[in-house]
Coordinates of all heavy atoms in Angstrom, one line a residue:
M1 N -29.6 77.7 33.0 CA -29.7 77.2 31.6 C -30.9 76.3 31.5 O -31.4 75.9 32.4 CB -28.4 76.4 31.1 CG -28.3 76.3 29.7 SD -26.8 75.1 29.2 CE -27.4 73.5 29.8
T2 N -31.4 76.1 30.3 CA -32.5 75.1 29.9 C -32.2 74.5 28.6 O -31.2 74.8 28.0 CB -33.8 75.9 29.7 OG1 -34.8 75.1 29.6 CG2 -33.7 77.0 28.6
Y3 N -32.9 73.3 28.4 CA -32.8 72.8 27.0 C -33.8 73.5 26.2 O -34.8 73.9 26.8 CB -33.0 71.3 27.2 CG -31.7 70.5 27.5 CD1 -31.1 70.6 28.7 CD2 -31.1 69.7 26.7 CE1 -30.0 70.0 29.1 CE2 -29.9 69.1 27.0 CZ -29.5 69.2 28.1 OH -28.2 68.5 28.5
V4 N -33.6 73.4 25.0 CA -34.6 74.0 23.9 C -34.9 73.2 22.7 O -33.9 72.3 22.5 CB -34.1 75.4 23.6 CG1 -34.1 76.5 24.6 CG2 -32.7 75.3 22.9
I5 N -36.1 73.3 22.2 CA -36.4 72.5 21.1 C -36.4 73.3 19.9 O -37.0 74.6 19.7 CB -37.9 71.9 21.2 CG1 -37.8 71.0 22.4 CG2 -38.3 71.2 19.9 CD1 -39.2 70.5 22.7
T6 N -35.7 73.0 18.8 CA -35.4 73.9 17.5 C -36.6 73.6 16.5 O -37.4 72.7 16.8 CB -34.0 73.6 16.9 OG1 -34.1 72.2 16.5 CG2 -33.0 73.8 17.9
E7 N -36.5 74.2 15.3 CA -37.5 74.0 14.3 C -37.4 72.7 13.7 O -38.3 72.3 13.0 CB -37.2 75.2 13.2 CG -35.9 74.9 12.3 CD -34.8 75.3 13.0 OE1 -34.7 75.8 14.1 OE2 -33.8 75.0 12.3
A8 N -36.4 71.9 14.0 CA -36.4 70.6 13.5 C -37.5 69.7 14.0 O -38.0 68.7 13.3 CB -35.0 69.9 13.8
C9 N -38.2 70.2 15.1 CA -39.3 69.5 15.6 C -40.6 69.7 14.8 O -41.5 68.9 14.9 CB -39.5 69.9 17.2 SG -41.1 69.2 17.9
A10 N -40.6 70.9 14.1 CA -41.8 71.3 13.4 C -42.3 70.2 12.4 O -41.6 69.6 11.6 CB -41.7 72.5 12.7
G11 N -43.5 69.8 12.6 CA -44.1 68.8 11.7 C -43.9 67.4 12.2 O -44.5 66.4 11.7
N12 N -42.8 67.2 13.1 CA -42.6 65.8 13.6 C -43.4 65.5 14.9 O -44.0 64.5 15.0 CB -40.9 65.7 13.8 CG -40.3 65.6 12.5 OD1 -40.4 64.7 11.8 ND2 -39.5 66.6 12.2
K13 N -43.1 66.5 15.8 CA -43.7 66.2 17.1 C -43.6 64.9 17.7 O -44.7 64.3 18.3 CB -45.2 66.8 17.1 CG -45.2 68.4 17.0 CD -46.7 68.7 17.2 CE -47.8 68.0 16.6 NZ -49.2 68.6 16.7
D14 N -42.6 64.1 17.5 CA -42.3 62.9 18.2 C -42.3 63.1 19.7 O -41.9 64.2 20.2 CB -41.0 62.3 17.8 CG -40.8 61.0 18.4 OD1 -40.4 60.9 19.5 OD2 -41.1 60.0 17.6
T15 N -43.0 62.3 20.4 CA -43.2 62.6 21.9 C -42.3 61.8 22.8 O -42.5 61.7 24.0 CB -44.7 62.3 22.3 OG1 -44.9 60.9 21.9 CG2 -45.7 63.2 21.6
A16 N -41.1 61.3 22.3 CA -40.2 60.5 23.1 C -39.6 61.5 24.1 O -39.4 61.1 25.2 CB -39.1 60.1 22.2
C17 N -39.3 62.8 23.8 CA -38.8 63.7 24.8 C -39.9 63.9 25.8 O -39.5 64.1 27.0 CB -38.6 65.0 24.1 SG -39.9 65.9 23.4
W18 N -41.1 64.1 25.5 CA -42.1 64.4 26.5 C -42.1 63.1 27.4 O -42.3 63.3 28.7 CB -43.5 64.5 25.8 CG -44.7 64.6 26.7 CD1 -45.0 65.8 27.2 CD2 -45.6 63.6 27.0 NE1 -46.2 65.6 28.0 CE2 -46.5 64.2 27.8 CE3 -45.5 62.2 26.9 CZ2 -47.5 63.5 28.5 CZ3 -46.6 61.5 27.5 CH2 -47.5 62.2 28.3
E19 N -42.0 61.9 26.9 CA -42.0 60.7 27.8 C -40.8 60.7 28.7 O -40.9 60.2 29.8 CB -42.2 59.5 26.9 CG -43.4 59.3 26.1 CD -43.5 58.3 25.2 OE1 -42.5 57.3 25.3 OE2 -44.4 58.2 24.3
A20 N -39.8 61.2 28.2 CA -38.4 61.1 29.0 C -38.4 62.0 30.0 O -37.6 61.9 31.0 CB -37.3 61.1 28.0
C21 N -39.0 63.3 29.8 CA -39.0 64.2 30.8 C -39.4 64.0 32.3 O -40.6 63.6 32.4 CB -39.7 65.5 30.3 SG -39.4 67.0 31.5
P22 N -38.6 64.0 33.3 CA -39.0 63.5 34.6 C -39.7 64.7 35.3 O -40.5 64.4 36.4 CB -37.7 63.4 35.3 CG -36.7 64.4 34.7 CD -37.2 64.4 33.2
V23 N -39.9 66.0 34.7 CA -40.6 66.8 35.4 C -41.7 67.5 34.6 O -42.2 68.7 35.0 CB -39.7 68.1 36.0 CG1 -38.7 67.5 37.0 CG2 -38.9 68.6 34.8
D24 N -42.1 66.9 33.6 CA -43.2 67.4 32.7 C -43.0 68.9 32.2 O -43.9 69.7 32.2 CB -44.5 67.3 33.4 CG -45.0 65.9 33.8 OD1 -44.5 64.9 32.9 OD2 -45.5 65.6 34.7
A25 N -41.8 69.1 31.8 CA -41.5 70.5 31.3 C -41.8 70.7 29.9 O -41.6 71.8 29.4 CB -39.9 70.7 31.6
I26 N -42.2 69.6 29.2 CA -42.3 69.6 27.7 C -43.9 69.7 27.4 O -44.6 68.9 28.0 CB -41.6 68.4 27.1 CG1 -40.1 68.6 27.2 CG2 -41.9 68.6 25.6 CD1 -39.3 67.4 26.8
H27 N -44.2 70.6 26.5 CA -45.6 71.0 26.3 C -45.9 71.2 24.8 O -45.0 71.6 24.3 CB -46.2 72.1 27.1 CG -45.8 72.1 28.5 ND1 -46.6 71.3 29.5 CD2 -44.8 72.6 29.3 CE1 -46.0 71.5 30.6 NE2 -44.9 72.1 30.7
P28 N -47.0 70.9 24.4 CA -48.1 70.2 24.8 C -47.8 68.7 24.9 O -47.0 68.2 24.0 CB -49.3 70.5 24.1 CG -48.8 70.8 22.7 CD -47.5 71.3 23.0
G29 N -48.4 68.0 25.8 CA -48.3 66.5 25.7 C -49.3 65.9 24.8 O -50.2 66.6 24.4
P30 N -49.2 64.7 24.3 CA -49.9 64.1 23.3 C -51.4 63.9 23.8 O -52.4 63.8 23.0 CB -49.3 62.7 23.1 CG -48.6 62.4 24.3 CD -48.1 63.8 24.8
D31 N -51.8 64.0 25.1 CA -53.0 64.0 25.6 C -53.7 65.3 25.8 O -54.9 65.4 26.3 CB -53.2 63.2 27.0 CG -52.7 61.6 26.8 OD1 -52.8 61.1 25.6 OD2 -52.1 61.1 27.6
D32 N -52.9 66.4 25.6 CA -53.5 67.6 25.8 C -54.4 68.0 24.7 O -54.2 67.7 23.5 CB -52.4 68.8 25.9 CG -51.6 68.6 27.2 OD1 -52.1 68.0 28.2 OD2 -50.4 69.1 27.2
A33 N -55.4 68.9 25.1 CA -56.4 69.1 24.0 C -55.9 69.9 22.8 O -56.3 69.9 21.7 CB -57.6 69.9 24.6
D34 N -54.8 70.7 23.1 CA -54.2 71.6 22.0 C -53.1 71.0 21.3 O -52.4 71.8 20.5 CB -53.9 72.9 22.7 CG -52.7 72.8 23.8 OD1 -52.5 71.7 24.2 OD2 -52.2 73.9 24.1
F35 N -52.8 69.7 21.6 CA -51.6 69.1 20.9 C -51.6 69.2 19.4 O -50.6 69.6 18.7 CB -51.7 67.6 21.2 CG -50.5 66.9 20.8 CD1 -49.1 67.0 21.3 CD2 -50.5 66.1 19.6 CE1 -48.0 66.4 20.9 CE2 -49.3 65.4 19.2 CZ -48.1 65.5 19.7
A36 N -52.7 69.0 18.7 CA -52.8 69.1 17.3 C -52.7 70.5 16.8 O -52.3 70.7 15.7 CB -54.1 68.4 16.8
A37 N -52.9 71.5 17.6 CA -52.8 72.9 17.1 C -51.5 73.4 17.1 O -51.3 74.5 16.5 CB -53.8 73.7 18.2
H38 N -50.6 72.7 17.5 CA -49.1 73.2 17.6 C -48.2 72.3 16.7 O -48.4 71.3 16.6 CB -48.5 73.3 19.1 CG -49.3 74.1 19.9 ND1 -49.3 75.5 19.8 CD2 -50.3 73.9 20.7 CE1 -50.1 76.1 20.7 NE2 -50.7 75.0 21.3
D39 N -47.2 73.1 16.0 CA -46.4 72.4 15.1 C -45.2 71.7 15.7 O -44.5 71.0 15.0 CB -46.0 73.1 13.8 CG -45.1 74.2 14.1 OD1 -44.9 74.6 15.4 OD2 -44.4 74.8 13.2
R40 N -44.9 72.1 17.0 CA -43.6 71.6 17.6 C -44.0 71.7 19.1 O -44.9 72.3 19.5 CB -42.4 72.3 17.2 CG -42.5 73.8 17.9 CD -41.3 74.6 17.2 NE -41.7 75.0 16.0 CZ -41.0 75.7 15.1 NH1 -39.9 76.2 15.7 NH2 -41.2 76.0 14.0
L41 N -43.1 70.9 19.8 CA -43.1 70.8 21.3 C -42.3 72.0 21.8 O -41.4 72.6 21.1 CB -42.8 69.5 21.8 CG -43.5 68.4 21.2 CD1 -43.0 67.1 21.9 CD2 -45.0 68.5 21.5
H42 N -42.4 72.3 23.0 CA -41.7 73.4 23.7 C -41.3 72.9 25.1 O -42.0 72.4 25.8 CB -42.9 74.6 23.7 CG -42.4 75.7 24.7 ND1 -41.5 76.6 24.3 CD2 -42.9 76.0 25.8 CE1 -41.3 77.5 25.3 NE2 -42.1 77.1 26.4
I43 N -40.1 73.5 25.4 CA -39.7 73.2 26.9 C -39.8 74.5 27.7 O -39.3 75.5 27.3 CB -38.2 72.7 26.8 CG1 -38.1 71.5 26.0 CG2 -37.7 72.7 28.2 CD1 -36.6 71.0 26.0
D44 N -40.6 74.3 28.7 CA -40.8 75.5 29.6 C -39.5 75.7 30.4 O -39.1 74.9 31.3 CB -41.9 75.4 30.6 CG -42.3 76.5 31.5 OD1 -41.4 77.3 31.7 OD2 -43.5 76.6 31.8
P45 N -38.8 76.8 30.2 CA -37.5 77.1 30.9 C -37.6 77.1 32.4 O -36.6 77.0 33.1 CB -37.0 78.4 30.2 CG -38.2 79.0 29.7 CD -39.2 78.0 29.3
T46 N -38.9 77.5 32.9 CA -39.0 77.6 34.3 C -39.2 76.2 35.0 O -39.2 76.1 36.1 CB -40.2 78.5 34.6 OG1 -41.4 78.0 34.3 CG2 -40.1 79.9 34.0
E47 N -39.5 75.3 34.1 CA -39.7 73.9 34.7 C -38.5 73.0 34.4 O -38.3 72.1 35.1 CB -41.1 73.3 34.0 CG -42.3 74.1 34.4 CD -43.4 73.6 33.7 OE1 -43.4 73.3 32.5 OE2 -44.5 73.4 34.3
C48 N -37.8 73.2 33.3 CA -36.6 72.4 33.0 C -35.6 72.4 34.2 O -35.2 73.4 34.5 CB -36.1 72.8 31.7 SG -34.7 71.9 31.1
I49 N -35.1 71.2 34.4 CA -34.0 71.0 35.5 C -32.7 70.7 34.8 O -31.8 70.2 35.5 CB -34.4 70.0 36.5 CG1 -34.7 68.6 35.9 CG2 -35.6 70.5 37.3 CD1 -34.9 67.6 36.9
D50 N -32.7 70.8 33.5 CA -31.4 70.5 32.8 C -30.8 69.2 33.0 O -29.6 69.0 32.9 CB -30.4 71.6 33.3 CG -30.8 73.0 33.0 OD1 -31.6 73.2 32.1 OD2 -30.3 73.9 33.8
C51 N -31.7 68.2 33.0 CA -31.2 66.8 33.3 C -30.6 66.2 32.0 O -29.9 65.3 32.0 CB -32.3 66.0 33.8 SG -33.6 65.5 32.6
G52 N -31.1 66.6 30.8 CA -30.6 66.2 29.5 C -31.3 64.9 29.1 O -30.8 64.4 27.9
A53 N -32.3 64.4 29.6 CA -33.0 63.2 29.4 C -33.6 63.2 28.0 O -33.7 62.3 27.2 CB -33.9 62.7 30.3
C54 N -34.1 64.3 27.6 CA -34.8 64.5 26.3 C -34.0 64.6 25.1 O -34.5 64.1 24.0 CB -35.6 65.8 26.4 SG -34.7 67.3 26.7
E55 N -32.8 65.1 25.2 CA -31.9 65.3 24.0 C -31.6 64.1 23.3 O -31.8 64.0 22.0 CB -30.5 66.0 24.5 CG -29.7 66.2 23.3 CD -28.3 67.0 23.8 OE1 -28.1 67.0 25.0 OE2 -27.7 67.5 22.9
P56 N -31.2 62.9 23.9 CA -30.7 61.8 23.1 C -31.9 61.0 22.5 O -31.6 60.3 21.6 CB -29.9 60.9 24.1 CG -30.4 61.4 25.4 CD -30.7 62.8 25.2
V57 N -33.1 61.2 23.0 CA -34.1 60.4 22.5 C -34.9 61.0 21.4 O -35.8 60.4 20.7 CB -35.2 60.1 23.7 CG1 -34.6 59.3 24.8 CG2 -35.9 61.3 24.3
C58 N -34.6 62.3 21.0 CA -35.3 63.0 19.9 C -34.7 62.4 18.5 O -33.6 62.4 18.2 CB -34.9 64.5 19.9 SG -35.7 65.4 18.6
P59 N -35.7 61.8 17.8 CA -35.4 61.2 16.5 C -34.8 62.2 15.4 O -34.1 61.7 14.4 CB -36.5 60.4 16.1 CG -37.6 61.2 16.7 CD -37.1 61.7 18.1
V60 N -35.0 63.4 15.7 CA -34.7 64.4 14.7 C -33.5 65.3 15.0 O -33.3 66.4 14.4 CB -35.9 65.2 13.9 CG1 -36.9 64.2 13.2 CG2 -36.6 65.9 15.1
E61 N -33.1 65.1 16.3 CA -32.1 65.9 17.0 C -32.4 67.4 16.9 O -31.6 68.2 16.6 CB -30.7 65.6 16.2 CG -30.2 64.1 16.2 CD -28.9 64.0 15.6 OE1 -28.2 64.9 15.0 OE2 -28.4 62.8 15.4
A62 N -33.6 67.6 17.5 CA -34.0 69.0 17.5 C -33.9 69.6 19.0 O -34.0 70.8 19.1 CB -35.6 69.0 17.3
I63 N -33.2 68.9 19.8 CA -33.1 69.5 21.3 C -31.7 69.6 21.5 O -30.8 68.8 21.3 CB -33.7 68.4 22.3 CG1 -35.2 68.2 22.0 CG2 -33.6 69.0 23.7 CD1 -36.0 67.2 22.8
Y64 N -31.4 70.8 22.2 CA -30.1 71.2 22.5 C -30.1 71.9 23.8 O -31.0 72.5 24.2 CB -29.5 72.2 21.5 CG -29.3 71.6 20.1 CD1 -30.4 71.8 19.2 CD2 -28.1 71.1 19.7 CE1 -30.2 71.3 17.8 CE2 -27.9 70.8 18.4 CZ -28.9 70.9 17.5 OH -28.8 70.4 16.2
P65 N -29.0 71.8 24.6 CA -28.9 72.8 25.7 C -28.8 74.2 25.1 O -28.3 74.4 23.9 CB -27.4 72.5 26.3 CG -27.1 71.1 25.8 CD -27.8 71.0 24.4
E66 N -29.5 75.2 25.8 CA -29.6 76.4 25.2 C -28.3 77.1 24.7 O -28.3 77.7 23.6 CB -30.3 77.4 26.2 CG -30.7 78.7 25.7 CD -31.3 79.5 26.7 OE1 -31.1 79.4 27.9 OE2 -32.2 80.3 26.3
D67 N -27.3 76.8 25.4 CA -26.0 77.5 25.0 C -25.3 76.8 23.7 O -24.3 77.3 23.1 CB -24.9 77.4 26.1 CG -25.5 78.4 27.2 OD1 -26.3 79.2 27.0 OD2 -24.9 78.2 28.3
D68 N -25.8 75.6 23.4 CA -25.3 74.8 22.2 C -26.1 74.8 21.0 O -25.8 74.1 20.1 CB -25.0 73.4 22.8 CG -23.9 73.3 23.7 OD1 -23.2 74.3 23.9 OD2 -24.0 72.4 24.6
V69 N -27.2 75.6 21.0 CA -28.0 75.7 19.8 C -27.2 76.2 18.5 O -26.6 77.1 18.6 CB -29.2 76.5 20.0 CG1 -30.0 76.7 18.7 CG2 -30.1 76.1 21.2
P70 N -27.2 75.4 17.5 CA -26.6 75.9 16.3 C -27.0 77.3 15.9 O -28.2 77.7 16.0 CB -26.9 74.8 15.2 CG -27.4 73.6 15.9 CD -27.9 74.2 17.2
E71 N -26.2 78.1 15.4 CA -26.4 79.5 15.0 C -27.6 79.6 14.1 O -28.4 80.5 14.4 CB -25.3 80.1 14.2 CG -25.3 81.5 13.9 CD -25.2 82.4 15.2 OE1 -24.6 82.2 16.1 OE2 -26.0 83.5 15.2
E72 N -27.9 78.8 13.2 CA -28.9 78.8 12.2 C -30.3 78.6 12.8 O -31.3 78.8 12.3 CB -28.8 78.0 11.1 CG -28.7 76.5 11.3 CD -27.3 75.9 11.7 OE1 -26.4 76.9 12.0 OE2 -27.2 74.8 11.7
S73 N -30.2 78.1 14.1 CA -31.6 77.7 14.7 C -31.9 78.5 15.9 O -33.0 78.4 16.5 CB -31.4 76.2 15.2 OG -31.3 75.3 14.2
R74 N -31.1 79.6 16.2 CA -31.3 80.3 17.4 C -32.5 81.1 17.4 O -33.3 81.5 18.3 CB -30.0 81.3 17.7 CG -28.9 80.5 18.0 CD -27.9 81.1 18.8 NE -26.8 80.0 19.3 CZ -25.5 80.2 19.2 NH1 -25.0 81.5 18.8 NH2 -24.6 79.3 19.6
G75 N -32.8 81.7 16.2 CA -34.1 82.5 16.0 C -35.3 81.7 16.4 O -36.2 82.2 17.1
S76 N -35.4 80.4 15.9 CA -36.6 79.6 16.4 C -36.7 79.4 17.8 O -37.8 79.3 18.3 CB -36.6 78.3 15.6 OG -35.6 77.5 16.0
T77 N -35.6 79.1 18.4 CA -35.8 78.8 19.8 C -36.0 80.1 20.7 O -36.7 80.1 21.7 CB -34.5 78.1 20.5 OG1 -33.4 79.0 20.2 CG2 -34.2 76.8 19.7
T78 N -35.5 81.2 20.3 CA -35.9 82.5 21.0 C -37.3 82.6 20.9 O -37.9 83.0 21.8 CB -35.1 83.6 20.4 OG1 -33.6 83.3 20.5 CG2 -35.3 85.0 21.0
A79 N -37.8 82.5 19.6 CA -39.3 82.9 19.5 C -40.0 81.9 20.4 O -41.1 82.2 20.9 CB -39.6 82.7 17.9
S80 N -39.6 80.7 20.5 CA -40.4 79.6 21.2 C -40.5 80.0 22.7 O -41.4 79.8 23.2 CB -39.7 78.2 20.9 OG -40.4 77.2 21.8
R81 N -39.3 80.6 23.2 CA -39.2 80.8 24.5 C -40.0 82.0 24.9 O -40.6 82.1 26.0 CB -37.7 81.1 25.0 CG -37.0 79.9 25.1 CD -35.8 80.0 25.8 NE -35.9 80.6 27.1 CZ -35.0 80.8 28.0 NH1 -33.8 80.5 27.8 NH2 -35.2 81.2 29.2
E82 N -40.1 83.0 23.9 CA -40.8 84.3 24.3 C -42.3 84.1 24.0 O -43.0 84.8 24.7 CB -40.4 85.4 23.2 CG -38.9 85.8 23.5 CD -38.4 86.7 22.5 OE1 -39.0 86.9 21.4 OE2 -37.3 87.3 22.7
V83 N -42.7 83.2 23.3 CA -44.1 82.9 23.2 C -44.4 81.4 23.5 O -44.6 80.7 22.7 CB -44.5 83.2 21.6 CG1 -46.1 83.1 21.6 CG2 -44.0 84.5 21.3
P84 N -44.5 81.2 24.8 CA -44.7 79.9 25.3 C -46.0 79.3 24.7 O -47.0 80.0 24.6 CB -44.8 79.9 26.8 CG -43.9 81.2 27.2 CD -44.3 82.1 26.0
L85 N -46.1 78.1 24.4 CA -47.3 77.5 24.0 C -48.4 77.4 25.1 O -48.0 77.3 26.3 CB -47.1 76.0 23.7 CG -46.1 75.8 22.6 CD1 -45.8 74.2 22.2 CD2 -46.6 76.4 21.2
P86 N -49.5 77.8 24.6 CA -50.6 77.7 25.7 C -50.9 76.3 26.1 O -50.6 75.3 25.4 CB -51.9 78.2 24.9 CG -51.6 77.9 23.4 CD -50.0 78.0 23.4
R87 N -51.2 76.2 27.4 CA -51.6 74.9 28.1 C -53.0 74.7 28.5 O -53.5 75.9 28.9 CB -50.6 74.5 29.0 CG -49.3 74.1 28.5 CD -48.3 73.9 29.6 NE -47.3 75.0 29.7 CZ -46.7 75.4 30.8 NH1 -46.9 74.9 31.8 NH2 -45.9 76.4 30.8
P88 N -53.5 73.7 28.6 CA -54.9 73.5 29.1 C -54.9 73.9 30.5 O -53.9 73.8 31.3 CB -55.3 72.0 29.1 CG -54.2 71.4 28.3 CD -53.0 72.3 28.1
A89 N -55.9 74.5 31.1 CA -56.0 75.0 32.4 C -56.1 73.9 33.4 O -56.5 72.6 33.0 CB -57.3 75.9 32.7
Ligands
SF4_1 S1 -33.5 68.6 30.0 FE1 -34.7 67.1 31.4 S2 -36.1 68.4 32.5 FE2 -35.5 69.7 30.9 S3 -36.8 69.3 29.2 FE3 -35.3 67.8 29.0 S4 -36.0 66.0 30.1 FE4 -37.2 67.7 30.8

């Protein structure tokens, strides 16, 4: 399993989750060159260790364990996983 970020993040991009993640699984970070180019943050499922640290710090409650994503938000998280955000080399 992984945690995922829903469309509630769009336009907010609060970085509390990025700061809380112990394994840098959330991208892009605020110092990345492409940060402004994306409307939301993304959790890389190959890097996430399911610790849950990001979920409670999100001010817009955009983060869920993948299996608990509300039905109405599932499309946005699927799209996010299938098209990972580009990251700087
Ligand atoms: S659940 Fe833990 S490892 Fe996964 S993105 Fe959130 S803070 Fe990072």
Side-chain angles (χ1 to χ4, degrees):
M1 197 184 72
T2 182
Y3 277 66
V4 293
I5 298 176
T6 67
E7 75 281 359
C9 179
N12 286 294
K13 290 197 307 188
D14 186 278
T15 57
C17 61
W18 178 84
E19 293 174 16
C21 182
V23 294
D24 296 330
I26 300 175
H27 308 280
D31 297 330
D32 291 339
D34 62 345
F35 183 77
H38 300 283
D39 73 339
R40 72 190 68 180
L41 303 183
H42 166 78
I43 295 174
D44 186 331
T46 68
E47 297 175 316
C48 178
I49 60 172
D50 303 333
C51 72
C54 54
E55 183 181 11
V57 299
C58 178
V60 295
E61 299 181 3
I63 303 175
Y64 296 85
E66 186 174 38
D67 293 344
D68 295 339
V69 174
E71 185 69 37
E72 64 272 18
S73 296
R74 291 204 177 137
S76 70
T77 60
T78 299
S80 178
R81 287 193 58 176
E82 291 176 350
V83 187
L85 297 175
R87 282 178 255 155

